[in-house]
């Protein structure tokens, strides 16, 4: 009996073959495949929060509009896409060492992505899939888009008993409309430019993959979203290299460092959703992680208020 993936591939390709599964973490699954004699990657949704179709459209957009190297998109549908195999692409579960060379090159690559999409993105907000391409049903102001971002994660938090923390962040942003003053114009933000998604070869970004979390936002959203999971107190020199690389291409806006706590808080709300959607821990550890996240957001709100 044919699998769902095989049925999808046979609709669009004369020949197809599933080679191996590369990744299977909700809400997506990833396979190495062969289509019409070409080595390729299939990524599809397995849950309601999946966004593979949007990711494929954003990847194609980046390939068309920027000099940032990304895989060639062969097919995009509402809930999956197929991309040509890129020889330099990092695999989903592996990444490069987070050293100063990687950090500097990635900073430059991320700044290039932001600079080269600044003139073609006019609004802030979530990307949407429409007939194989992407659109932005967004906002003229980032504060409104940031509120929408938190609200989009609220249903999952509510389902697992954390609606109070989502509402607390929503209330804070609503009561402080000047929080994002001077943040800069909307750009295409990758959303997770960590070593498992950005390959560096010969001191340059060789391939950027997994635009699963892409959003039209100020560049600083992407900057802090990269720093949070990538650098810690033991990697200050590496984080400084990332900043030098970024600023060698694109200036950071006034008030950039002061707004870091706000972006940390936005990302912690996403981490709440990811904790339950990916479901990679037992009930006890999940509860402990959720409690730590809730404490972190609560503490941050107290400092900001």
């Amino acid at each position: 009996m044919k699998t769902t993936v095989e049925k999808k591939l046979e609709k669009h390709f004369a020949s197809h073959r599933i080679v191996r599964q590369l990744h299977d973490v909700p809400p997506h699954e990833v396979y190495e495949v062969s289509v019409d004699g070409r080595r390729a990657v299939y990524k599809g949704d397995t849950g309601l929060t999946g966004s593979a179709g949007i990711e494929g459209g954003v990847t194609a957009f980046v390939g068309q509009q920027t000099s940032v190297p990304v895989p060639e998109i062969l097919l995009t549908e509402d809930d999956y896409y197929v991309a040509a195999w890129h020889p330099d692409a990092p695999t989903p579960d592996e990444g490069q060492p987070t050293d100063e060379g990687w950090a500097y090159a990635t900073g430059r690559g991320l700044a290039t992505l932001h600079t080269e999409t600044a003139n073609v993105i006019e609004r802030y907000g979530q990307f949407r899939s429409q007939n194989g391409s992407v659109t932005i049903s967004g906002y003229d102001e980032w504060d409104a888009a940031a509120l929408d971002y938190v609200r989009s994660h609220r249903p999952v938090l509510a389902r697992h008993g954390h609606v109070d923390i989502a509402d607390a962040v929503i209330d804070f942003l609503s009561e402080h409309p000047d929080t994002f003053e001077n943040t800069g114009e909307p750009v295409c933000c990758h959303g997770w430019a960590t070593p498992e998604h950005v390959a560096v070869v010969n001191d340059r970004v060789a391939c950027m993959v997994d635009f699963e979390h892409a959003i039209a936002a100020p560049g600083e959203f992407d900057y802090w979203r990269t720093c949070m999971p990538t650098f810690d107190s033991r990697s200050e020199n590496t984080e400084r290299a990332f900043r030098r690389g970024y600023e060698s291409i694109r200036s950071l806006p006034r008030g950039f460092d002061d707004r870091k706590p706000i972006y940390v808080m936005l990302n912690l709300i996403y981490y709440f959703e990811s904790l339950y959607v990916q479901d990679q821990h037992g009930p006890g550890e999940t509860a402990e992680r959720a409690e730590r996240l809730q404490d972190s957001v609560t503490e941050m709100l107290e400092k900001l208020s």
Side-chain angles (χ1 to χ4, degrees), residues 1 10 16 60 66 80-81 108 129 132 140 152 192 196 212 217 227 232-233 238 257 268 270 297 300:
M1 182 178 295
E10 73 177 3
H16 60 86
T66 81
Y80 68 96
Y81 71 90
R108 287 180 60 85
S129 179
D140 292 330
S152 72
W192 204 259
E196 64 269 28
E212 174 184 339
C227 287
D232 57 28
S233 59
T238 310
D257 291 299
L268 290 176
Y270 162 74
V297 176
M300 197 158 292

Side-chain angles (χ1 to χ4, degrees), residues 157 160-162 164-165 268 271-273 275-276 281-298:
L157 271 67
H160 295 281
H162 303 292
D164 55 335
I165 202 68
L268 290 176
Y271 290 170
F272 257 114
E273 177 177 296
L275 177 66
Y276 290 103
H281 313 285
E285 185 176 351
T286 295
E288 290 176 4
R289 287 171 178 257
E291 185 176 357
R292 289 198 298 269
L293 284 171
Q294 180 135 346
D295 289 345
S296 295
V297 176
T298 300

Side-chain angles (χ1 to χ4, degrees), residues 134-150:
V134 291
T135 60
I136 302 170
S137 55
Y139 302 86
D140 292 330
E141 302 296 335
W142 171 232
D143 58 340
L147 268 169
D148 182 69
Y149 176 83
V150 178

Side-chain angles (χ1 to χ4, degrees), residues 24-57:
D24 183 19
V25 175
H28 297 108
E29 59 183 353
V30 183
Y31 291 89
E32 179 186 345
V33 299
S34 175
V35 294
D36 292 347
R38 299 188 67 179
R39 192 180 185 188
V41 172
Y42 163 95
K43 183 170 183 177
D45 297 344
T46 60
L48 294 177
T49 60
S51 57
I54 297 172
E55 178 183 340

Side-chain angles (χ1 to χ4, degrees), residues 67-87:
S67 60
V68 177
V70 296
E72 176 192 358
I73 299 299
L74 305 178
L75 171 69
T76 301
E77 293 292 312
D78 287 342
D79 60 349
Y80 68 96
Y81 71 90
V82 179
W85 187 273
H86 194 295

Side-chain angles (χ1 to χ4, degrees), residues 213-251:
H213 305 286
I215 183 174
E220 62 186 23
F221 174 93
D222 222 7
Y223 186 102
W224 292 121
R225 194 161 166 85
T226 297
C227 287
M228 276 186 66
T230 307
F231 309 116
D232 57 28
S233 59
R234 297 166 297 179
S235 54
E236 291 181 359
N237 290 339
T238 310
E239 185 171 350
R240 282 196 287 267
F242 175 76
R243 182 162 184 159
R244 287 198 308 272
Y246 191 95
E247 291 187 297
S248 71
I249 299 292
R250 182 178 174 86
S251 297

